[in-house]
Each structure stands twice: as C-alpha cells, then as structure tokens.
C-alpha cells in the first residue's frame, strides 16, 4: 500500500510540474503580444518594446518560467548586493519590495541623472536624499547601479545615460527620461504564493484571487454535498432495479440532464424559477465579494444548475458499477447462501460497487470545475471560474496562469484523495 | 459472382447495423433526433426560409405563419438561423486565410476525428508496448486530464485566438486523453489474446500489430465512444459560443444565439429557448444513440 | 453398497425440462432429466460443455435468471416440491438445507469481505447464532477441512490465500449448516492436478462424515470415477445413461457413453490404452437439436427410427437406465473404428536423427520490484522470478517432446523463450545451428518462419476481425513462401488437410466451433512449413471428444510434414500417446526427462510419481497409489535452495537425515537408461524399487474412493 500511495504522490507532483510547464509555454509563448491588449492597437513598436521590457518579457522563456514558479528575488539579490524584502504599503495594504541595506529598507529612483535613495521609516513614511558613491564600473568603463525602484522592480541604471521609457499611467502612456536599462519585475513565484501582478487590474493576483477561490469553494462544496449522496443513492437504486421502470426512469433522466450543457440548464432554470415562477431573482446581483454570505439565496440557482448536470453522470457511473457487481459470482454465492436481499446489497454489494465510481467521481471533479466556469458566467457569480473567464478574454496571463493552476491543483488533489479512498476500500491493495 | 456476394454482404452488414439500432428503443429515439438535425443541415445548404443574417422583420416576434419560431432582438428569423447554425457544427469547416476556403465535415466532426487519431495512437502505444512508453504517455495524459476542460479551452483560445481550427484543436486536445485511456485499456486487454502472440511469433512489426491486429478489434467500443464525443464536442462548441469565444461569425452559432438572447430574456424568452433546445436535443440524441448502441452491442457479445 | 437404506431419497428429479426465453422464442436447455440422490451418496453428472449439466443444478436451486424457468417435471427435495417455490421460503432453503460449491473459488468469494464474515453469516442468518459462537463454529469447520492456521484465515481476505485453500473455505461454508444436499459444480476444475487430488480426497471424506447427499457436476470422467457412487451421463440436454460408476465405466450401454470412454486418455499400464478414438461431428447447439435421438447424427449404430423418434428411457435389472432405442443390443467390444476417426499409426523410427534444437543450461529470470520503500527507491536487493532454471536437452528432428507440469512451473515461459517472445537470461539455445538466445525482433526471417506456435485458447487464437483464409494466408504473404496469386489455393489445400473444406475460407472466427478454431490455429502455424512447432496446451480447453480428434490430427500432420514438436500439457495423460520424449517440470526446473514409456514406469522422480498418482483416471478398476503433496507450490521469487521440490517431497525420508542434503545441495542428474534422466538425490537403486503408480485392481473387488 505504501508503494501505491507513494506512487500516487510522485505522479501528482510530476503532473503538476508538467501542467505548469505546458500552461506557461502555451500562454506566454502562444498568446502573442500582450501589449496590444494593454496599450491598444495604436501604440508604436518602440512603446511596445519599452513596455515589454518593464514587464520583464524580454527575458528568455525558461528564465521567466523559473521566475514565475519560484520567484526572482533570490536572483535579483545577487545583482543588488543586499537582501530583498517586502513591507506592507500602508495606503494600499499590498506588499512593496525593498532592499534591506543594513537594517534600513531602501529603494532608489533616478531624477535628472542623479540617483536618489529613498529610505522607509518605521511609520511607513519615506525620506529621500541624494545617493553618492553607489555607482559601480563595468568592463567598458561605464558607471552602473543595480537597485530597487518604486514599482517593485529590480532595475539597472546607467550613470548619465538615463533611458527613455514609456510609462503606463492612468492617463495613458507617458514618456519618461532617467529610465533604467534593465528590469527584473520582482516576484516571489507561484510556489511561494505570489503569482505576480494582474495586468488587467494592476494589483497582485493573489489579493483578488483568494476571495474568489473561497466563493468557488463554497459553491462547489454545497453542490458536492447535494450531489454526492443523492447521486450515489439514485445510482444504487437504479442498479438494484436493473431493467425495471424505476431504473429506466433514473437512467434516461440522468442521461438527459448530463447531456444538456450547463448554460442551457442554467437558462432554463432562470426562466422557470426567475421569470415564470418568480421564486428567485432572475438576475442575481453580487454586489460584493461577500454577497453570498449575506444572502445565501443567491446560491440556489447556481447549485441547482451544477446539480442537474453533475448528478446524472455520477448516478450513471454508480448504476453501471452496481449492475456489474450484482451480476458477479460472489453475489451469486451470497444469494445461494440464502442471504436476505437487504443484507446482500448492504454487506456484499455496496462496498464493491462504490470502489470503481469513487475514483471516477474524483476524476470528475475537474468536470465540476469546468461546469463552474459556465455557471459562474451565467449567474455572474464572483468566483474562480468567472475570474478565469475574464482573464482569458483579456489575456491577463499572470491571472489566468495562477487561476488555472489552482483549478488543476484542485483536480489533482481530489484525484489523489480518490486514489487513497480506493486503497482504503479495496483490501487487495490495502494488504499488499 | 464474387463481387455479387461481396455486395450482398455489405448490404447485409448495413442491415445488421440498422436492425441493431432498431432493436434498442433508446438508440432508435436517439437516431431520430440526430437525423432530424442532419436533414435540416443538408436542406440549409440549399435553402433556408429567409436570409439568416438580415433584419427583415420586427424585433422579438413570437411564432407566426411567416416566422415559424419567431424573430430575435434584431428582427432576424430564428428558424433560418437555427438551420444555418447546424452547418459549421456538422457539415463544414472554414479554414483561415484568404478566399474563404471551406472543407466538408463540421467542426465537431473534425474535432472528434482529431481526438480519436491522437488518442488512439497514444493509447495503443501505451497499452501494447507497456513499460516506459506506458509510464510516459500516461503521465502526459494525466497532466492533460488534470485541466478542467473549459479552462483548457479558455487557455487555448486565450493563446491562439478564435477560429474554426482553434476550436477543432481545442476539442482534439481535450478529447484525446479520454480516447487514449479507452484505447489503452482495450489494447491491454486484447494484447493478452493468443492471436497477438501469433502475430509476434510471425515477427510482425509493432505498428502492424497495433493497427492491424489490435485496432480492428477495438473499433466497436471506440466508435461508440466517438459517437458520444461528437455529442461532447457539440456541447463544447455551444458552451464556447455561449461564452462568446466560439466559432466566429458570419455563421450563426447556437451557443452565441443563447448568449445574445439571454440579454433580452425579459422581453423575449422564446429566443433563448429555441437554440437552447436545439443544442440539448442534438446532444441528447447523440448520447441516447451511442448509449443504446453500446448496450445492444454488449448484449450481442454476451 | 451399504448406504442404500430404505430412507427416501433426498432429491428426486422427474422428467425435468428447463427452458430459457430468448428474443423471438424459447430454448429448452434441458429436457427429460430424471434421477434421485440418496443420503450419503455422491451422484456424478458428467457431460461435455453445453450439455446442460449446470442448468440442472441451477434448476434445483431455482436460480435460473430472469429468463429461465422449469417448464415441465418436478423437483422434490425431502418430499417438498421445489418447482415454483420462491421468495422467503426459497431463501430459507438455500445455504441451509441446500448448499452449493462452484467452479472458481476466487470469483465465488467476495473480494472485499473478510473470510470469517463470509462464513459466519451463514450461521448468524439461518441459525440466529450470535457472532462469537458462529466464529467458533467456523474455525472448527475450517479445521475439519484441514485448513492450516484456521483461526487466522478467518481474518483474511480471499486474495491472501491460495486457490486450493479458497476452495476449502467455500466447501467449509457450504457444510456449516450440515445441509441435506450439497451441489458441487466443477469444484476442482480451476485447480492444479495435485491440489485437485487433495480436494477430491477431502470431498470423499466429508461425504462419509456428514452423510450428505452430493450432486457432483463435472466434465472430467476421471474425477467422477474417483468421487461418485452413481453417475448420470448427459448429452445435449438429456440424461442419456445412468447407473453405478462400475456399471457405466465397465459396460457402457449408450453409444455416446461408449464413445466417450474411447476418447479419453486412460493412463493405463500399456501404451495401447492411450490411443484415442474421437466421436465424429460435434455437439448440436441447444436451438438446433435433432428431432429424433439427440445423438443420432453422431451415432455409429444409427438406424431409421433414430432420426424420427425420441428414444424412451430403458431400465435394466442392474439399475442402469439408458435412453437409446437399441440399448442392450449394442456391444461395445465389437466396435471397430471407422476410417475417418482412426488414429494414424505411430511410426517408431529408432534411427537417431540430428538434434534440431539444443538447449544448454537455459535460464529465464524476470526482475521483480519489491514493495518496500527501499525497493521503490531502487536501493533494495534486486530479486528475480526464476521462471526457467537450467533447461538442458536436445530435441532430435522429427520427434515430439511433451512438457508436463502444473501452472507456474515455467513450461510456458520455456517455449516463449525458445520462440523469442522472451529474452534468454543466461545459457545457450541453438535452433538449426543458429543461436536463438535473442528476442524475436532481432531474429532473421529464416529462423522466424521455421519456428511457429499453436495456442491454447480456441476463443482467442484467431483474430475475430479477419476471415479464416486471411489469417492462414498471412504467414505465407509475410514470409513470401508462396507467390501471391497462389496463396488462396495453398490455404485451401491446408484447410483440406485440416479436414475443413474450402467453404471455410471466407468464414469469420465467430462462425466456427472451438475445435474448428484450433484447427485453423494449427493450419496457420503450419502455413510457413516450420521445422519446429511449439504447442501450448492446444487441446486443454476442448471437450474430450473434440480433443481426441485434434490430437490425432496433430500426430498425422507431424508425420506428413516431418515436423518436430514440443507439446505442453498440465497432466501426464494427454502427452503420453504421441510423445517420443516427455519432460516433467516443477517450479522452473526440469525434474525428469526421457523416452515417454520410461516416464510412466519406475524409476520415477518423486514429483512425477505424485503427479501420476494425482491424475484422475476414468477407470474404476485401475488402482492408483495414494501419494498427496502437502502445502502449496513455493513462490518462484525465492525458490527453495537445493532441490526445489524438497519442501513438498514425500520421498525425502528415504535419504539419511530425512533428506537434509535436499535442502542445501542441488541434486545430481541420475541417468537410468538411454536418455532417461532423473534430477534427484535419491540413488537410482532406491528409485528402482518404487512400485508402479497405476495397476489394475483384481477382478471383483469393490471400488474404493
């Protein structure tokens, strides 16, 4: 059994790694020029190049993948020469990067060719003064300096050669002098909980993602809690009544429900409950991220939609497994031993019948997640699925990568749990 | 003489399969639903009641003698749009580039063909060769399966943009792991048979054994699975259309029709219901058909 | 027969017919079956597959599925009519008054329930016994079926014990409530010969001890002879003959029974007794049975009336009843085989010929991965399944070598290694003076086409997707032995020599019977005119009457094509008749090899002796020595040191110190006569003193089970 579990865990890790590479390559390489989306189609090639450099997109793919996965502060640290740390910005509540210069949190900026040191005080305020003697000299005799700028990048300035950069402000692109030559946008990396900045919102992805994940877990959790017992019960009921009208009814209904796309089901439910019966609001307005906790009624239609779609599949799997078990030789043995029917079903059949579906159900969780995307879009539910959808439409790669990795992680972890449940149910594996 | 017997046996074969379908009530109902849409699709190639994209009528009309299913929010005939919408799904694929090149076979069909080709090749290699081949292929499949389907669609489309070929690619990639798993388990079962040993002792090549000895005997379940997958593909195309990232215009897309009509759901509910019903009936029809067929086939084997 | 008391029979079947509803009609699987079973009696029901013997058993239990039912007749159990009994009443009978044991114990036991729970529920449900006491009774019962470590077995799951032990658990469960009737449906068919022998002994013991009526269903005439007192022979849904075992075996009345007796190998003392005469034709399927006597299409004595009228059951004064119009008139002794079923004459060419295959200490090991953490990380010691160890023999051209052994003895691995499906681990193998230690993918076509194989399972030997013609033609096409346009003619020629006509050319496998499929399999193997054909139990899945025909055909073809053959079998009776040499394998090691006659007579290797003693012989007058092997076959992963057989050898005590040497040292090869070698520590002089295993009982003595 130890072997089986170890194998599952190793396979899970390898899978996650493969997925992350595939995802990264697909999006970063495949999605073309993100600057078109952000800067608009009228930006000049020069503006685009400048902005790409600011995003760190001029680095090679493998470098960006590593940065994305495990961060780049450790790499930037070697350039700067001081430890790089984060501190909370009292205004936004988000983390800012600083160099830790002998216990003093420090950043730099360039103004009119001069390097200015910005020192963060205990209360969050900043004192600035001219920095001197910080320049180093490279092989060509140019003076350069690696430091942390005010936009959370590790950058390299050249003395007297302030680059012209295009900065994106609320008012649009603005040309600035005194710009750095090189950018390393600082991040801790996905594995350390920092998937980067959302290009769409300009805020760290992690900050917006967490309440979304919570909302989705609530929705999925409630749906799962409704679906599982009901589906297993219906499946077993159909399985032991194989071929009878009850079985026909359950089978055909669940086939129909499973084969109907989520958005069709969702629309019909809105029509029925929202417009014709007027039991529930037809258009749910999620005024804030916490709306579902204030008004749990909003959950009703999304959960119902998910249930309609997922219930059938699991019920059908369970039914098929139950039918197979009921035809097996050991059930025949139990009948020939004169066991009462209820005992046969409860003691002999159910455990074996649940073994196959449980792994498949756990595999099926990523269907549930897929369904979530559609359901959240239909109902405007502020969850992970809606977030992925929005990010995908925008091309917000940091956001979509992070969110997709979360869904993949959920899928893979549930699969692992399914494997574990299978080993516990199946003595052949448990005792080997 | 010989040709005649061959012809007869082919006719016989056709009748055998028809009677197999008719033997199952479920499969019969399913095939009627699918045939209905197929016939409409072929008719639409030559004739639709009105121009599917022209706003010739009043907006949001209910069903009436001119517009059997009513009109939408732009005053277009819904029935004509539904008919036309079958084409991209079932009958034609529009290639990108100049000249509007169109190839026969709908996006759903090509998507499934793609996933079958990919999946069968991977599955047979994993199942028959076993060992390292199996480990590596299964690991790749596991990674693919780990993606929630729609997330993968979104990622592919976010990366590659919209278009018929992109949708085909997305369907192929998401479908391949399922096909591969099925093909693998069939291959693992079939490879234990003595006739595979016989082929090996004849020194046949690995590819010959996989595609000539194993594949023909796995084709039954694979075809049924393919049928189901056409259903999934239509399901997926509808969903993508609904999300606004499906098949591009000018052809109407059922999912997109639902999406557009949804915005006017208070003024015109029927405009939502018709395309939604169209998708549901076609997908359910294919499912019923495949399901009934599978049941009948296993009974036949018993 | 002292147990024929006046007590009424436990079970009486009268003119029972069982029918199954199918699409568009109904099939009578069983008809006109009547018999009764007394307390303390074992009643055998024997017949080939599809003859309806299991259906009779299921009918007694009223377990015929949704579409089966008893159409006519009555089944009385202890005076109570069983036909029509359903629901609660039926449930109370099952498992309590009537118990059943059937073929595959692994399938019959619930894989996810502890054995103790599966056993004790019979008591808690039927007898309202409390759990503790039930468990105690179960342990007692397990001990009565000689289950080692009974208390511990209660806590185990089915996959944790061996097949023979599983069957003991099933039998013990069946006996827990001391049922009046015990139905056994092929209870030993899935077991190895030596294990089967032990279980059969157990069944005989239990019948005496429990005084239960046993209905024993099997296809194996030898098994029936060993366990039953009376036997009914079934053919095509009817019971054609019934009587005591002695009467039926010694003087069969029905032409079918007579035919059966002629087509099973007997393993008697002389070689002539192993000549087989098949019954021509095949068993008709249930939906296409003849109008008159069911056996008429295959009967040698058929007359006009047989085709038109169903024979009545004729009863003789001896108690034998026969369903034949001419019962009593037919004398089995006067039968002579017709030309089409006559076996070929065995040409014993004594002139030595050059060896075509030379094996020199051939070894085949498989690497296995352990399950401990250390093993997964690759730090553990590499372990091997030692599937074949030191195979060392020469096979002269044109001869046949029979390889015999129980499952897992490495006989299949041996031929797979020779044919190149497996890579040789060590040693040397030469075929036609070409090295063949490599895998088939690296062999030249000239070697591949000379080495072909015939497979065991008729249902999987042919690819269901291709016609007979395509499949036989494929080797010709692949090796280009025949020009393309002549392939069809060549295939038809081959089909004809298989006694299959041209009309088989376009048939698909599903249109063929098991025997026909095997013939096509043989034709395919012979299509490239190979020099060496390896046969992996080609007849073991076939019914006896078909088996005999196929064996004769193989022999004939071998002589016609001058092919060399290796022939694998799991018991000694099949190979005797046409092998020139026989090798006996145990746990990867060849234990004894030599000319066929020498193997079946002393001196024996102790394992060969045990095997011979275990094979059930369909002849109640033959007497076998009673040698039973204890324990189970050890794992091939860590085979015992020294002699691999030492853990179970019944003859070890003959050596000083009870055979201490066997545990540590590999035995020497002891050569007895020309080419006969025995791998044993026991000196030849001692081995020579063994009595023959099979002898004829003196006339008139009673059958002892």
């Amino acid at each position: 059994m130890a072997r089986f579990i170890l194998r599952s865990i190793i396979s899970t890790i390898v899978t996650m790694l493969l997925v992350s590479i595939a995802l990264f390559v697909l999006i970063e390489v495949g999605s073309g020029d993100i600057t078109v989306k952000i800067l608009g189609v009228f930006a000049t090639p020069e503006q685009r190049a400048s902005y790409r450099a600011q995003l760190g997109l001029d680095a090679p793919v493998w470098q960006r993948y590593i940065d994305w996965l495990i961060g780049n502060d450790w790499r930037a640290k070697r350039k700067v020469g001081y430890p790089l740390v984060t501190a909370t910005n009292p205004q936004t509540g988000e983390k800012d990067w600083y160099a830790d210069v002998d216990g003093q949190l420090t950043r730099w900026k360039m103004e009119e060719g001069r390097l200015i040191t910005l020192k963060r005080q205990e209360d969050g305020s900043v004192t600035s003064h001219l920095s001197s003697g910080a320049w180093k000299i490279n092989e060509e005799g140019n003076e350069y300096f690696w430091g942390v700028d005010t936009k959370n990048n590790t950058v390299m300035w050249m003395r007297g050669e302030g680059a012209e950069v295009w900065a994106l402000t609320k008012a649009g692109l603005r040309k600035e002098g005194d710009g750095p030559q090189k950018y390393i946008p600082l991040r801790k990396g996905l594995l350390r909980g920092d998937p980067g900045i959302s290009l769409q919102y300009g805020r760290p992805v992690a900050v917006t993602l967490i309440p979304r994940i919570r909302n989705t877990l609530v929705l999925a959790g409630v749906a799962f809690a409704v679906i599982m017992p009901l589906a297993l019960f219906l499946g077993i009921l159909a399985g032991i009544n194989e071929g009878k009208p009850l079985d026909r009814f359950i089978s055909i209904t669940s086939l129909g429900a499973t084969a109907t796309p989520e958005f069709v089901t969702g629309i019909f439910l809105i029509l029925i409950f929202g417009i014709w019966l007027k039991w529930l609001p037809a258009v749910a307005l999620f005024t804030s991220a916490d709306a579902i906790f204030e008004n749990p009624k909003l959950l009703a239609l999304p959960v119902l939609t998910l249930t309609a779609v997922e219930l059938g599949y699991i019920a059908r799997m369970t039914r098929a497994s139950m039918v197979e078990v009921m035809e097996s030789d050991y059930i025949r043995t139990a009948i020939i031993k004169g066991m009462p029917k209820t005992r046969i079903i409860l003691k002999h059949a159910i455990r074996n019948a649940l073994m196959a579906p449980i792994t498949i159900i756990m595999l099926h969780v990523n269907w549930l997640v897929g369904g979530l995307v559609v359901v959240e879009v239909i109902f405007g539910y502020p969850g992970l699925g809606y977030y992925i959808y929005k990010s995908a439409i925008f091309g917000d790669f940091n956001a979509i990568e992070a969110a997709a990795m979360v869904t993949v992680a959920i899928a893979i972890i549930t699969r692992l749990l399914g494997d574990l449940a299978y080993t516990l149910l199946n003595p052949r594996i448990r005792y080997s | 003489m010989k040709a005649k017997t061959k012809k007869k046996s082919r006719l016989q074969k056709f009748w055998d399969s028809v009677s197999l379908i008719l033997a199952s009530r479920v499969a019969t109902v399913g095939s009627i639903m699918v045939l209905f849409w197929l016939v409409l699709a072929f008719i639409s190639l030559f004739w639709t009641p009105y121009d599917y994209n022209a706003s010739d009528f009043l907006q949001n009309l209910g069903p009436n003698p001119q517009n059997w299913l009513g009109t939408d929010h732009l005053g277009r005939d819904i029935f004509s749009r539904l008919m036309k919408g079958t084409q991209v799904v079932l009958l034609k694929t529009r290639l990108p580039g100049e000249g509007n090149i169109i190839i026969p076979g709908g996006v759903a069909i090509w998507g499934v063909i793609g996933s079958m080709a990919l999946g069968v090749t991977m599955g047979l290699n994993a199942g028959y060769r076993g060992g390292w081949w199996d480990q590596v292929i299964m690991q790749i499949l596991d990674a693919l399966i780990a993606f929630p389907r729609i997330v993968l669609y979104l990622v592919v489309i976010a990366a590659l943009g919209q278009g018929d070929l992109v949708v085909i690619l997305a369907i192929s990639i998401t479908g391949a792991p399922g096909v591969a798993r099925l093909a693998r388990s069939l291959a693992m079962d079939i490879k234990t048979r003595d006739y595979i040993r016989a082929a090996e002792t004849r020194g046949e090549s690995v590819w010959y054994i996989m595609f000539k000895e194993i594949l023909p005997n796995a084709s039954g379940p694979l075809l049924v699975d393919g049928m189901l997958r056409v259903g999934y593909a239509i399901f997926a195309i509808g969903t993508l259309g609904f999300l606004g990232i499906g098949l591009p215009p000018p052809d109407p897309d059922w999912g997109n029709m639902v999406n557009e009509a949804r915005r006017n759901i208070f003024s015109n509910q029927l405009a939502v219901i018709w395309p939604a019903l169209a998708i549901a009936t076609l997908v359910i029809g294919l499912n019923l058909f495949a399901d009934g067929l599978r049941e009948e086939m296993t009974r036949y084997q018993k | 027969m002292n147990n024929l008391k006046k007590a009424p029979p436990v079970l009486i079947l009268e003119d029972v017919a069982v029918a199954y509803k199918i699409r568009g009609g109904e099939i009578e699987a069983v008809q006109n079956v009547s018999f009764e079973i007394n307390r303390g009696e074992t009643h055998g029901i024997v017949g080939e597959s599809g003859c309806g013997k299991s259906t009779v058993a299921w009918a007694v239990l009223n377990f015929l599925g949704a579409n089966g039912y008893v159409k006519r007749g009555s089944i009385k159990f202890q005076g109570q009519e069983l036909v029509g009994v359903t629901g609660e009443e039926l449930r109370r009978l099952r498992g309590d008054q009537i118990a059943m044991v059937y073929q595959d114990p692994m399938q019959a036991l619930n894989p996810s329930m502890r054995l103790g729970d599966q056993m004790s529920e019979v008591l808690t449900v039927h007898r309202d016994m409390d759990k503790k006491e039930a468990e105690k009774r179960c342990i007692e019962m397990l001990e009565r079926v000689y289950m080692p470590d009974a208390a511990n077995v209660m806590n185990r799951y089915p996959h944790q014990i061996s097949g023979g032990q599983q069957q003991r658990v099933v039998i013990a469960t069946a006996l827990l409530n001391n049922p009046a009737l015990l139905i056994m449906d092929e209870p030993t068919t899935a077991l190895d010969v030596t294990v089967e022998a032990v279980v059969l002994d157990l069944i005989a013991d239990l019948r005496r001890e429990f005084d239960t009526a046993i209905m024993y269903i099997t296809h194996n005439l030898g098994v029936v002879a060993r366990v039953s007192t009376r036997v009914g022979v079934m053919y095509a849904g009817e019971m054609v003959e019934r009587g005591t075992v002695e009467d039926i075996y010694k003087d069969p009345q029905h032409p079918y029974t007579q035919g059966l007796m002629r087509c099973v190998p007997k393993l008697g003392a002389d070689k002539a007794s192993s000549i087989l005469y098949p019954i021509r034709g095949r068993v008709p399927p249930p939906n296409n049975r003849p109008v008159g006597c069911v056996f008429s299409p295959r009967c040698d004595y058929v007359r006009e009336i047989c085709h038109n009228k169903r024979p009545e059951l004729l009863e003789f004064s001896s108690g034998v009843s026969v369903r034949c119009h001419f019962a009593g008139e037919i004398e089995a002794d006067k039968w002579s085989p017709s030309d089409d079923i006559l076996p070929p004459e065995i040409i014993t060419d004594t002139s030595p010929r050059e060896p075509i295959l030379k094996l020199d200490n051939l070894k085949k090991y498989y690497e296995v991965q352990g399950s401990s953490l250390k093993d997964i990380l690759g730090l553990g010691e590499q372990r091997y399944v030692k599937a074949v160890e030191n195979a060392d023999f020469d096979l002269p051209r044109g001869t046949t070598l029979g390889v015999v052994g129980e499952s897992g003895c490495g006989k299949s691995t041996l031929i797979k290694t020779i044919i190149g499906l497996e890579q040789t681990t060590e040693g040397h193998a030469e075929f036609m003076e070409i090295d063949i230690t490599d895998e088939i993918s690296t062999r030249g076509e000239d070697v591949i086409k000379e080495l072909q194989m015939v497979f065991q399972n008729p249902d999987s030997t042919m690819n269901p997707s291709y016609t007979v013609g395509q499949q036989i033609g494929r080797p010709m096409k692949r090796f280009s032995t025949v020009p393309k346009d002549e392939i069809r003619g060549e295939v038809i020629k081959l089909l004809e020599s298989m006694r299959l006509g041209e009309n088989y050319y376009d048939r698909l496998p599903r249109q063929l019977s098991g025997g026909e499929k095997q013939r096509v399999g043989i034709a395919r193997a012979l299509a490239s005119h190979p020099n060496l054909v390896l046969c992996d139990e080609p007849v073991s899945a076939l019914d006896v009457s078909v088996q005999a025909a196929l064996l004769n055909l193989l022999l004939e073809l071998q002589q016609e094509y001058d092919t060399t053959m290796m022939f694998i079998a799991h018991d000694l009776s099949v190979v005797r008749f046409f092998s020139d040499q026989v090798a006996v394998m145990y746990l990867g090691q060849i234990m004894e090899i030599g000319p066929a006659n020498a193997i079946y007579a002393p001196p024996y290797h102790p394992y060969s002796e045990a095997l011979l003693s275990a094979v059930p012989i369909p002849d109640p007058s033959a007497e076998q020595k009673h040698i039973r092997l204890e324990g189970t076959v050890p794992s091939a992963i860590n085979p015992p040191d020294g002699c691999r057989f030492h853990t179970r050898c019944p003859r070890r005590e003959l050596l000083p110190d009870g055979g201490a040497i066997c545990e540590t040292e590999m035995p020497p090869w002891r050569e007895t006569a020309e080419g006969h070698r025995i791998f044993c520590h026991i000196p030849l002089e001692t081995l020579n003193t063994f009595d023959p295993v099979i002898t004829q009982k003196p006339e008139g003595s009673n059958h002892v089970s």
Side-chain angles (χ1 to χ4, degrees), chain B residues 116-127:
Chain B
M116 295 295 270
L118 213 62
V120 165
T121 311
M122 287 169 82
L124 288 182
N125 274 292

Side-chain angles (χ1 to χ4, degrees), chain B residues 195 202-204 212-213 217, chain C residues 460 463 465-466 474 478:
Chain B
Y195 56 84
R202 276 202 306 272
E204 302 280 9
K212 290 269 184 162
E213 297 276 349
N217 298 306
Chain C
S460 81
N463 190 325
S465 302
Y466 297 105
R474 175 69 198 169
R478 166 147 171 75

Side-chain angles (χ1 to χ4, degrees), chain A residues 390-427:
Chain A
K390 284 275 199 189
S391 311
I393 298 289
F394 188 83
D396 184 349
F397 56 80
N398 276 339
I400 198 174
E401 277 158 11
M405 281 311 285
V406 171
T407 61
V408 170
I410 292 173
I412 292 182
I413 288 166
T414 48
R415 182 161 74 198
L416 186 64
L417 291 178
D419 281 353
L420 295 183
Y422 184 74
T423 51
L424 286 179
L425 277 175
N426 191 346

Side-chain angles (χ1 to χ4, degrees), chain C residues 283-299:
Chain C
V283 183
N287 54 359
N288 192 22
R289 286 183 181 144
V291 188
C293 170
V294 283
F295 190 58
S296 57
R298 304 176 74 187
C299 184

Side-chain angles (χ1 to χ4, degrees), chain B residues 2 23 192-198 200-204 208 211-214 216-217 296 299-300, chain C residues 23 419 421 440 448 451-453 455-457 460-466 474-475 478-479 510 524:
Chain B
K2 233 167 104 187
T192 63
R193 310 286 164 86
D194 286 342
Y195 56 84
I196 302 300
R197 287 300 84 63
E200 285 167 355
T201 56
R202 276 202 306 272
E204 302 280 9
Y208 177 90
F211 285 90
K212 290 269 184 162
E213 297 276 349
I214 294 179
N217 298 306
E296 214 51 39
R299 188 176 306 163
Y300 187 64
Chain C
R23 197 180 289 163
I419 207 160
L421 292 176
I440 196 156
I448 292 174
L451 248 177
Q452 286 295 307
M453 191 162 164
F455 299 90
Q456 176 174 12
N457 186 346
S460 81
T461 196
M462 290 181 72
N463 190 325
S465 302
Y466 297 105
R474 175 69 198 169
R478 166 147 171 75
F479 301 121
R510 63 164 184 269
R524 182 182 55 196

Side-chain angles (χ1 to χ4, degrees), chain A residues 5 48 55 58 67 73 77 79 82 97 138 152 154 168 208 230 253 272 332 376 387 399 415 427:
Chain A
I5 292 173
R48 289 186 202 291
L55 293 176
D58 51 348
D67 288 358
D73 49 329
K77 186 180 116 185
K79 306 259 190 202
Y82 301 105
W97 284 95
N138 68 7
N152 293 326
T154 292
L168 187 67
T208 37
L230 204 60
T253 315
I272 295 168
R332 187 171 70 173
E376 289 182 5
Y387 186 78
R415 182 161 74 198

Side-chain angles (χ1 to χ4, degrees), chain C residues 73 89 108 202 222 235 270 288 320 376 389 392 403 407 430 433 477 483 493 505 554 595 597 613 631-632 644 654-655:
Chain C
E89 207 180 337
L202 170 69
Y235 177 78
D270 58 301
N288 192 22
V320 174
I376 300 166
E389 187 82 272
D392 192 317
V403 181
S407 58
E430 217 172 73
E433 264 128 47
K477 212 191 265 172
K493 231 194 267 171
Y505 189 90
L554 262 177
N597 278 334
S613 147
T632 52
R644 291 191 169 189
L654 295 175
L655 286 169

Side-chain angles (χ1 to χ4, degrees), chain C residues 497-575:
Chain C
S497 66
M498 294 296 142
R499 311 253 164 84
L500 301 169
E502 184 182 348
N503 55 342
Y504 278 81
Y505 189 90
D506 284 319
R507 290 201 196 173
L508 284 167
R510 63 164 184 269
Q511 297 165 299
L512 307 183
S513 72
E516 286 166 344
K517 285 181 204 165
Q518 284 303 75
R519 281 166 200 250
V520 176
I522 293 168
R524 182 182 55 196
L526 292 175
S528 59
H529 294 286
N531 271 321
L532 176 59
V533 176
L534 307 170
C535 302
D536 187 359
E537 308 217 27
V539 297
S540 66
L542 301 175
D543 278 320
V544 276
S545 64
V546 186
Q547 205 173 53
L550 206 69
L551 286 173
N552 288 342
L553 179 69
L554 262 177
L555 188 60
E556 193 181 310
L557 290 168
Q558 189 211 356
Q559 291 178 356
E560 188 185 324
Y561 289 89
D562 192 27
T563 314
T564 317
M565 278 209 298
M566 262 176 88
F567 190 101
I568 286 185
H570 60 266
D571 78 39
L572 280 159
S573 56
V574 175
V575 293

